[in-house]
Amino acid sequence: MASLLRAAATWGLFPWRGYCSRGTQGELSKGFVEALKAVVGSPHTSTAAADREQHGHDESMHRCQPPGVVVWPQNVEQVSRLAALCYSQGVPIIPFGTGTGLEGGVCAVQGGVCMNLTHMDRILKLNVEDFSVVVEPGVTRKTLNTYLRDSGLWFPVDPGADASLCGMAATAASGTNAVRYGTMRDNVLNLEVVLPGGRLLHTAGPGRHFRKSAAGYNLTGLFVGSEGTLGLITAATLRLHPAPEATVAATCAFPSVQAAMDTTVHILQAAVPLARIEFLDEVMMDACNRYGRLTCSVAPTLFLEFHGSERALAEQIERAEEISQHNGASHFFWAKEAEERSRLWAARHNAWYATLALRPGCKGYSTDVCVPISRLPEILVQTKEDLKASGLTGTIVGHVGDGNFHCILLADPEDAEELRRVKAFGEHLGRRALALHGTCTGEHGIGLGKRQLLQEEVGAVGIEIMRQLKAMLDPRGLMNPGKVL
Ligand SMILES: Cc1cc2nc3c(=O)[nH]c(=O)nc-3n(C[C@H](O)[C@H](O)[C@H](O)COP(=O)(O)OP(=O)(O)OC[C@H]3O[C@@H](n4cnc5c(N)ncnc54)[C@H](O)[C@@H]3O)c2cc1C
């Protein structure tokens, strides 16, 4: 515990703040916990230290105090009653999906009630002909795709973790397929949201699942990426896509980071309709080889994937190979069989854990900048040099087709100086991206760690409007306090 508090201090998290339903410091009153139990039942309420601890952090380095209580609502009515109860008592509410976030979004900086929504895990409605599906918050992306297997449809947004789809909506997540299929911002059609006081909102109107709309303000867009600070998402209507007729994946190694980046930009400029184009630096490739028992070259590498008809694929592959070879690529490896492809992509999706395995016992911190595609070669080459000069252990991996990449940096949680250097590196990189007209976060969100960078990114007026929107929906500031703003 002492080390957690030291780390919290190092990361400059919020101090504790009391509120009326607390008994002693850090605890909720017995009467309040009984009132929660009356809504969800005793088996779905826990004040056990292990449950609170487990729900007090995500996969990031951010640490603070755990929530005072964890509840597992079973349906939307219960979520609504819980929200009304918390709001009337001035108790913070923290929505919890699968806890795979990377920006401390579920940390209970002011204690309060953590609402774990994973027991609400039904797929409510599949509209095959309309290419849409309605899911509850406990459904994860892999569960949905298993369910869709025989329908000829799939959901392409694929963060490395098997996250909940509503958590993904809350963080505006994306993944390796975004270059072709877009992010959660492009694939959420409607959301059912319990607002802080308990009211129910359907952001596009109840039951609607149209492909386009010009009807008033975009409320769906407001809640995608709101990181649990505006309400609890209790159902999401998602856009589905036809499963591709054929798929081919490839990896190829490059003599330098610059050559790999030039290839990325040239392939995109040539309008080759890639499904995925991912970059891994040589340190990342080495880590993936060890972790995933691969034998790829230890060099800056692109992972590519093409979707389409057999004929279209042949053309796409030829064009991509030509451009890559022109930039000095070697060691092409083509994977056509499903098993081979999933082995390759499993290695890519395990990048986070492969990096952690480089220094057992250390925690990971992932930067997440995204820049206009033309500035990608420059920022990646500079970042690689900075990383070498910093003496930090870190890998680089990126969804480079979107201009988005991550440095996964390792630090000993007991070493305050190393934590400080990791934080400084992340901030410096964030500012470099802003200077190139990019963003400090392409997909992980602001959470606890990037609030200052958000201010620099959107400016004083942008922040003021965001604060006004938040105050209008959550006047008591109880929805996931301390995040984003
Ligand atoms: C190995 C690994 C790889 C990853 N790769 C990617 C990647 O490629 N792309 C990417 O975008 N992310 C990636 N992530 C980060 C993470 O998976 C995403 O941020 C994901 O969207 C979080 O979903 P979750 O259900 O785990 O949310 P949680 O971590 O539980 O919560 C995240 C935030 O959303 C809020 N929230 C959760 N559920 C709800 C809800 N129902 N209603 C309202 N608010 C809610 C929480 O309060 C919190 O602020 C990765 C994480 C790991 C560990």
Side-chain angles (χ1 to χ4, degrees):
M1 189 61 187
S3 70
L4 292 186
L5 292 175
R6 253 199 320 278
T10 312
W11 283 85
L13 303 183
F14 277 18
W16 295 12
R17 193 185 78 180
Y19 45 86
C20 64
S21 281
R22 273 183 172 171
T24 55
Q25 176 69 35
E27 283 175 15
L28 293 161
S29 72
K30 218 173 155 201
F32 179 75
V33 175
E34 287 306 314
L36 295 174
K37 285 183 185 168
V39 177
V40 291
S42 290
H44 304 129
T45 309
S46 175
T47 49
D51 285 329
R52 293 170 52 227
E53 193 58 52
Q54 188 206 334
H55 287 80
H57 63 86
D58 57 12
E59 293 264 350
S60 70
M61 279 186 186
H62 296 289
R63 290 292 184 275
C64 59
Q65 67 162 334
V69 59
V70 184
V71 289
W72 285 264
Q74 310 295 302
N75 54 51
V76 61
E77 290 75 27
Q78 289 186 358
V79 176
S80 175
R81 285 173 62 201
L82 289 168
L85 177 63
C86 291
Y87 223 68
S88 67
Q89 296 295 305
V91 178
I93 304 164
I94 305 110
F96 192 98
T98 46
T100 67
L102 295 175
E103 286 299 340
V106 297
C107 292
V109 288
Q110 296 176 17
V113 176
C114 175
M115 286 202 209
N116 181 321
L117 298 159
T118 51
H119 286 193
M120 295 168 62
D121 60 356
R122 287 174 306 161
I123 295 172
L124 296 174
K125 195 165 189 341
L126 173 63
N127 303 300
V128 176
E129 287 173 2
D130 296 331
F131 298 86
S132 74
V133 68
V134 186
V135 295
E136 288 192 322
V139 179
T140 67
R141 66 174 187 86
K142 285 189 184 169
T143 308
L144 176 62
N145 277 324
T146 305
Y147 174 84
L148 292 172
R149 193 170 283 155
D150 297 326
S151 69
L153 300 173
W154 72 307
F155 186 70
V157 185
D158 65 332
D162 187 20
S164 76
L165 291 155
C166 290
M168 286 164 58
T171 56
S174 54
T176 61
N177 290 303
V179 64
R180 171 133 177 197
Y181 299 95
T183 72
M184 288 305 279
R185 290 207 189 273
D186 309 293
N187 286 286
V188 176
L189 302 175
N190 199 350
L191 291 173
E192 179 188 81
V193 181
V194 170
L195 295 172
R199 274 187 304 162
L200 196 63
L201 167 73
H202 294 268
T203 55
R208 301 192 194 286
H209 52 277
F210 41 70
R211 285 291 282 272
K212 63 187 226 185
S213 160
Y217 300 127
N218 183 353
L219 296 181
T220 307
L222 178 62
F223 281 87
V224 176
S226 60
E227 300 186 43
T229 62
L230 300 180
L232 296 124
I233 301 171
T234 48
T237 307
L238 305 171
R239 182 177 168 186
L240 301 175
H241 297 259
E245 180 188 314
T247 301
V248 175
T251 62
C252 55
F254 289 86
S256 64
V257 175
Q258 181 77 47
M261 287 310 99
D262 288 346
T263 303
T264 305
V265 174
H266 295 162
I267 289 179
L268 291 171
Q269 283 170 344
V272 179
L274 286 159
R276 293 164 149 176
I277 181 162
E278 298 280 305
F279 170 75
L280 288 79
D281 76 348
E282 71 281 5
V283 188
M284 186 77 257
M285 275 317 301
D286 192 28
C288 283
N289 278 345
R290 291 165 196 234
Y291 191 82
R293 301 210 178 112
L294 295 178
T295 50
C296 294
S297 310
V298 177
T301 299
L302 288 178
F303 279 47
L304 305 119
E305 191 166 280
F306 307 87
H307 295 173
S309 65
E310 298 283 355
R311 224 173 60 192
L313 283 192
E315 270 174 36
Q316 291 175 29
I317 291 168
E318 192 185 330
R319 191 79 186 99
E321 199 165 336
E322 208 175 84
I323 294 170
S324 308
Q325 275 167 353
H326 177 76
N327 286 306
S330 60
H331 297 99
F332 265 92
F333 173 73
W334 294 102
K336 291 194 174 147
E337 300 310 318
E339 205 176 311
E340 253 178 342
R341 278 190 278 115
S342 41
R343 212 164 67 88
L344 271 189
W345 287 110
R348 161 63 191 89
H349 273 137
N350 280 331
W352 172 258
Y353 300 105
T355 306
L356 291 181
L358 289 176
R359 267 180 77 190
C362 284
K363 292 277 175 195
Y365 176 73
S366 175
T367 68
D368 180 36
V369 299
C370 183
V371 294
I373 202 80
S374 64
R375 312 307 294 267
L376 189 63
E378 149 187 14
I379 193 170
L380 252 168
V381 170
Q382 284 170 350
T383 303
K384 185 83 190 139
E385 280 163 17
D386 282 358
L387 190 52
K388 272 188 200 148
S390 73
L392 292 166
T393 309
T395 55
I396 297 183
V397 57
H399 314 297
V400 284
D402 307 318
N404 180 206
F405 71 94
H406 313 297
C407 286
I408 307 177
L409 304 163
L410 296 179
D412 176 351
E414 302 292 331
D415 183 343
E417 170 55 18
E418 195 171 38
L419 286 168
R420 192 199 56 74
R421 285 196 294 137
V422 165
K423 185 169 185 263
F425 187 97
E427 281 177 1
H428 176 67
L429 179 52
R431 293 204 168 94
R432 179 174 274 160
L434 295 187
L436 297 176
H437 306 292
T439 171
C440 64
T441 174
E443 55 183 22
H444 297 163
I446 297 295
L448 283 170
K450 299 207 178 95
R451 288 168 298 163
Q452 174 58 35
L453 287 170
L454 176 67
Q455 294 194 15
E456 294 169 31
E457 183 164 330
V458 299
V461 178
I463 283 291
E464 192 189 329
I465 300 289
M466 286 190 193
R467 289 208 171 112
Q468 286 171 351
L469 281 168
K470 163 86 174 160
M472 196 226 348
L473 288 162
D474 178 17
R476 299 188 71 179
L478 295 172
M479 268 316 296
N480 207 4
K483 315 296 162 49
V484 182
L485 293 170

